[in-house]
Amino acid sequence: MNILLLGSGGREHALAWKLAQSRLLSRPEDKFYAAPGNPGIADHAECIELDATNHHEVIRFCEEKQIGLVAIGPEAPLVDGLADSLRSVGIAVFGPSKAASQLEGSKGFTKDLCERAGIPTAGYVRTASLAEATAALDRFSPPYVLKADGLAAGKGVVIAQTRPEAAEALTDMYSGRFGEAGAEVVIEEFMEGEEASFFALTDGATILPFGTAQDHKRVGDGDTGPNTGGMGAYSPAPVLDATLHGEVIEKIVAPTVKTLADEGMPYSGVLYAGLMLTREGPKLIEYNVRLGDPECQVLMMRLESDLGELMLACAESSLGACEPVKMARDTALTVVMAAKGYPGTPEKGGAIDLGDAEAEGAKVFHAGTGRGEDGGLVASGGRVLNVTATGANVTEAQKAAYAAVDRIDFPSGFCRRDIGWREVERERD
C-alpha cells in the first residue's frame, strides 16, 4: 500500500518511524511519502512539497500516486476539513471530519457538548466581547482560567491570579493577540489536581484505549516560566490507575463518541483527552483531535501493535475486528531540546551534532530541524529535538534519556533537566 503522512514535526517523525515498520509497507513496491517532512522523517519516507491547505492539490497527488491511506498529523488540516475532502473521493484517511474536529477547533463547542452529555468538566461561560467577558468574571473566583476559543498553537490559555490580571488578559485577548482564535473567549472555573493525558482510537463506534501520558508544559525546571507546546513527557502515567482508566472511558470518552455519532458527526481517528485528576474524580480539561506532541513520541516508543493497520481500521470503520492495542510495559520518556529564546523568538540556524545519541537504544525525533548551507543539521524552529528513551520505570527512562541528551552537541539549545520529576519522587518514596 502507498501511504501519505502530512506534517513536519516531532510527532510526525515518531509516526513515520512507526509507520515504516507496518506490514502495510512491507513490499518493495509500497511507497511511503511525507509532506513536507523533515530531515529525520526523510530517513523513513520520501519527503515532498505539498500544500495541505490546497485540498485539490492533495487529492490530485493521492490519485496520481495511488495513495491507499492518508495520515494527518497536525490539527489545522483536520479543523480545515481536509479529511472530508479526501473521503469525498474515496481516499481512506486517519483523522476526524471538520465537524468532529470542532472538539479541538472550538473550546466552546467542547464545553457545550460536555454539558449536553453530562461529561465532568469545569464550569464555564462563553463570551463574545470584552464587555461580556469582563462582566462574566463576577461568576468566578481567582485564579481565572481564560481560553481563546479557537486554535492558538497551544498558547491560547491564560491563568490569571487576580481580577486585575484577568481584566488585562481579556483586553489583550480581545485586542487580537490570538487573531481569529480569540474572537470568542471561554472563562472557566479553576480546577485543582494533577494533569494527565488519555488516548483512544475510535472509528465512531468501537473504542480502543491507546495509552496514557503526562506532559510538562512550563519551560523551566520545577514547572516554572511560561507555557510551551510541551517540554517533555512520559508514558504510561501511573496516576491513571486501572480504576481511573475505566472511569475516563465510561464517563468522558464513551459519552463523547456516542454524542458525536448521535448528532451526525461520528468521530474517526485518535481522541486525546487532557484530564485533571480532581478530588471528585477525573474531569475533562480539553480535547485534541490528533496525537499530542511530545506525547506521541513516547506512545510510539511503547507501541507494539501495527500502527498502519490500526490507522486503516479507523479509516475503514473496522476497528471492532482489531485486537486490543498492545503497549510495552516499559516506560518511555522524552526530553525536548529547544532553541534558546523559546517559547518567545527562538534562535534559528544553530548547528546540531547528534553524535552517538542513539547508541544505547534511545531515539532522537526531529521536531524543528533543517539543513544548513553545508548540508549539516541545524535548528529551524522552537522545539528542535525530542530525545526519547525507555526504562523499567520513570527513573530509569529519565536516566537513559538525559544520557542521550548529554551526547548531543547543540550549543544554541537548552532543555529542562527534570522531566518526569513528580513520578521520580513517588518512585523514590
Side-chain angles (χ1 to χ4, degrees):
M1 175 179 287
N2 297 341
I3 296 177
L4 171 64
L5 171 66
L6 296 177
S8 63
R11 167 183 50 227
E12 286 76 35
H13 186 185
L15 292 173
W17 173 69
K18 187 57 67 172
L19 276 171
Q21 303 168 38
S22 172
R23 286 183 286 271
L24 299 183
L25 291 169
S26 60
R27 303 176 305 168
E29 61 266 33
D30 295 326
K31 301 297 183 182
F32 186 17
Y33 302 95
N38 65 36
I41 293 172
D43 290 338
H44 312 288
E46 179 183 341
C47 293
I48 57 169
E49 289 298 325
L50 201 59
D51 181 5
T53 66
N54 187 330
H55 296 194
H56 293 296
E57 181 182 339
V58 176
I59 290 171
R60 183 167 58 250
F61 176 84
C62 290
E63 291 177 338
E64 288 177 357
K65 300 299 183 179
Q66 296 182 307
I67 299 297
L69 174 67
V70 177
I72 301 176
E75 64 276 16
L78 295 168
V79 173
D80 187 45
L82 180 57
D84 303 78
S85 297
L86 290 165
R87 289 191 181 102
S88 71
V89 294
I91 297 170
V93 56
F94 179 78
S97 66
K98 181 175 183 176
S101 292
Q102 291 179 92
L103 284 179
E104 182 167 359
S106 169
K107 304 292 192 303
F109 172 87
T110 298
K111 300 299 285 191
D112 289 350
L113 182 144
C114 287
E115 189 169 61
R116 294 195 304 276
I119 295 168
T121 188
Y124 74 103
V125 172
R126 298 180 68 172
T127 67
S129 69
L130 177 59
E132 186 180 355
T134 302
L137 290 176
D138 292 337
R139 299 172 56 176
F140 298 88
S141 301
Y144 303 90
V145 181
L146 316 172
K147 296 182 177 181
D149 181 71
L151 296 179
K155 300 175 183 177
V157 178
V158 176
I159 300 177
Q161 298 299 322
T162 66
R163 177 67 180 258
E165 284 181 20
E168 182 180 354
L170 286 172
T171 300
D172 187 33
M173 295 171 90
Y174 273 111
S175 66
R177 176 182 175 188
F178 299 112
E180 292 182 5
E184 287 192 16
V185 175
V186 176
I187 303 175
E188 291 187 6
E189 165 197 16
F190 181 80
M191 294 189 290
E192 293 187 6
E194 189 167 346
E195 291 188 40
S197 302
F198 182 94
F199 299 83
L201 297 178
T202 181
D203 57 7
T206 299
I207 298 170
L208 291 184
F210 198 59
T212 62
Q214 282 192 292
D215 187 16
H216 298 64
K217 287 295 186 187
R218 299 283 186 174
V219 73
D221 287 6
D223 293 330
T224 58
N227 271 323
T228 71
M231 294 300 292
Y234 61 90
S235 173
V239 292
L240 273 173
D241 58 25
T243 299
L244 289 177
H245 195 279
E247 195 172 340
V248 170
I249 294 175
E250 178 187 354
K251 296 183 178 180
I252 298 176
V253 175
T256 299
V257 172
K258 183 179 186 304
T259 300
L260 288 172
D262 289 347
E263 296 180 356
M265 40 187 161
Y267 192 99
S268 175
V270 63
L271 189 57
Y272 164 8
L275 306 170
M276 185 68 75
L277 307 181
T278 74
R279 293 177 181 176
E280 296 81 34
K283 295 184 179 182
L284 182 71
I285 301 172
E286 63 182 7
Y287 272 126
N288 289 328
V289 298
R290 36 70 191 185
L291 282 158
D293 190 345
E295 294 93 340
C296 178
Q297 289 82 316
V298 289
L299 290 172
M300 292 304 103
M301 285 290 281
R302 296 182 56 230
L303 181 64
E304 295 180 344
S305 299
D306 188 309
L307 178 63
E309 292 183 349
L310 288 170
M311 285 183 165
L312 188 61
C314 286
E316 295 182 339
S317 300
S318 60
L319 202 60
C322 294
E323 297 291 328
V325 176
K326 187 176 182 181
M327 291 279 183
R329 295 178 64 87
D330 278 359
T331 293
L333 184 143
T334 191
V335 177
V336 170
M337 297 190 75
K340 290 178 181 177
Y342 179 78
T345 303
E347 181 179 322
K348 296 183 180 181
I352 303 166
D353 183 354
L354 297 180
D356 61 348
E358 296 185 343
E360 302 297 326
K363 182 67 183 174
V364 180
F365 296 114
H366 294 225
T369 65
R371 293 292 179 187
E373 293 182 1
D374 62 355
L377 198 65
V378 298
S380 65
R383 293 185 295 171
V384 180
L385 301 171
N386 307 135
V387 186
T388 315
T390 60
N393 52 29
V394 175
T395 302
E396 294 302 315
Q398 183 196 64
K399 181 180 177 181
Y402 281 110
V405 166
D406 293 337
R407 292 194 289 268
I408 295 173
D409 184 17
F410 180 20
S412 63
F414 75 97
C415 67
R416 281 183 57 166
R417 301 295 306 193
D418 66 344
I419 300 301
W421 67 271
R422 285 190 182 86
E423 199 58 39
V424 169
E425 288 186 356
R426 283 191 281 256
E427 290 174 356
R428 185 181 299 124
D429 294 340

